[in-house]
Amino acid sequence: MMKTVIIGGVAGGASAAARLRRLDESAEIVILERGAYISFANCGLPYYIGGEITDRSALTLQTPESFHARFNVDVRIHNEATAIDTENKQVTVYDHQLGKEYVESYDNLILSPGAAPILPPLPGVDLEGVFTLRNIPDTYKIHSYVHERDVRRAVVVGGGYIGVEMAENLQNAGIQVTIVEMQDHLIASLDADTACDVHNYLAEKGLDLRLNTSVQSIERTEAGLRVQTTGGAVDCEMVLMSVGVRPESGLAKDAGIELGLRGCVKVDAHMRTSAPDVYAVGDVIEITDFITGKPGFVPLAGPANRQGRIAADNICGIPSTYKHTQGSAVLKVFDMTVACTGITERTAKAEGYHYDKVFLYAAAHAGYYPGGHNMAVKLIFDTDSGRVLGGQFVGFEGVDKRCDVLAVAIRAGMTVNELCDLELCYAPPFSAAKDPVNMAGFAAQNILTGKVRNFHWEALDTLDREKVTLLDVRRPDEYEAGHIDGFVHIPLDELRAHLDTLDRSKPVYVHCFSGLRSYVACRILSGHGFTCYNISGGYHLYDSLRRSAEIVRGHAVQRG
């Protein structure tokens, strides 16, 4: 009878155990979990703190008893693996409840210890009222502290997924929140230009954003805590440290198992480590990026579940392989949705891709149907092959749907031309006849086929304004509501009548609100002998960048 020992539960370990049992009813399966919970909803933890989830039991997906009843797995909570002997195929275990050590043998071993929150070596990180959030005990501690201490002000250090979700939920609990982020934008899986819409929305919701700001220390005061930053001091009653996670690979390292990037366990496509009959899954492993083929560290629940299944398949003789990670992710921010897949522009540039990008501000559903919202779309594509490299979406309804479509397109190796051909569901309440994904494909295709020249706001300052014409083709009411100095204003529908007022010897750089009308303007101008560049993203992107920069500058002015 085959015996598999699994170190760690949650997504990867629990999925592996369940799959093993489904494949082999006679197998002996043991899960060693040093904590009290083998399967819980990591991603739901912030929503319990914020009151969105009110039932504690909803966070626990399986208990040791329910898991044993359904899958006949020997689940041992409070049992911590302390050493692995790969030569003799044994694990040393310490039972915290009984206070004794024992040795467990295995035929196959699966490592699923996950990742631990990074706690930077700063003065004061060990003070009462300073927390990290990774598991259910962390959640209960924070929840109790917030309510027992009547917390009114909180500082979240780090603007990643957990940091932003916690900021939202603390705000929903009636707490004034300051996010301190050392980079120039929140949510590292976005580019800075796409993140600007998130910054502006959070500022409108009343959150205090401190970007380009590092924490130096945390101090105890009579009133609570004081967070000293490079941008000045912030007083509060609690601090959440959310600066990232590190793989819990110490056991593997001590056992002589090969590690890779950032101390992650190296595995092959079958989830096998360098040690015989030892597999690893989840947040502890090094992945291969689906786009670049380079090693990476992407701790996400979806990949962890698939990896657990694949390890189980291979243990049972089914030749299953993991086909890399493309980093598809989605985030709720109050009523806003943020989603991304594939690589960022930063990565495309760093990896030396010949790439371009298009920005859209597209309708989630038919404009004439009530209640619609636009979404910001950024598409990154290879200009040599037309291959889709990545996409970022920020908006409200329908954002996750469009990102999922693009994720499938990337997985299938599609080009922007093929995005144009996708036949997607349409009815006025759900989409437009030209879906935002189609529209992104059209815009990129127009660039690749030379129907329009693409231009980006960040390059505007490189232009000699004496030698170019800057043109705004929005409606008069849009222009009056806000415009950019130096741009000539000619509404699109009046453009043909005013062509003689423009200098044909100068290239024209044109914008509208989103980039669609300015594309039409470029086609008109090109048809009349002008050289024309469409400014991608239009005034919406320009204004979003401007307002986000003001948030950063406002704090820079305050700190003098």
Side-chain angles (χ1 to χ4, degrees), residues 289-309:
D289 187 279
F290 181 78
I291 302 293
T292 67
K294 299 288 183 68
F297 176 53
V298 183
L300 292 171
N305 275 282
R306 293 196 300 278
Q307 292 155 8
R309 179 185 177 93

Side-chain angles (χ1 to χ4, degrees), residues 313-365:
D313 281 354
N314 285 287
I315 286 171
C316 293
I318 300 171
S320 182
T321 59
Y322 183 66
K323 298 174 179 63
H324 309 324
T325 299
Q326 68 188 70
S328 300
V330 65
L331 170 69
K332 173 186 175 294
V333 188
F334 295 100
D335 294 326
M336 177 177 272
T337 306
V338 180
C340 59
T341 187
I343 62 173
T344 62
E345 182 183 352
R346 298 189 313 280
T347 300
K349 186 178 296 183
E351 294 297 324
Y353 282 94
H354 297 156
Y355 76 92
D356 204 347
K357 56 189 175 181
V358 293
F359 296 91
L360 310 174
Y361 197 55
H365 65 232

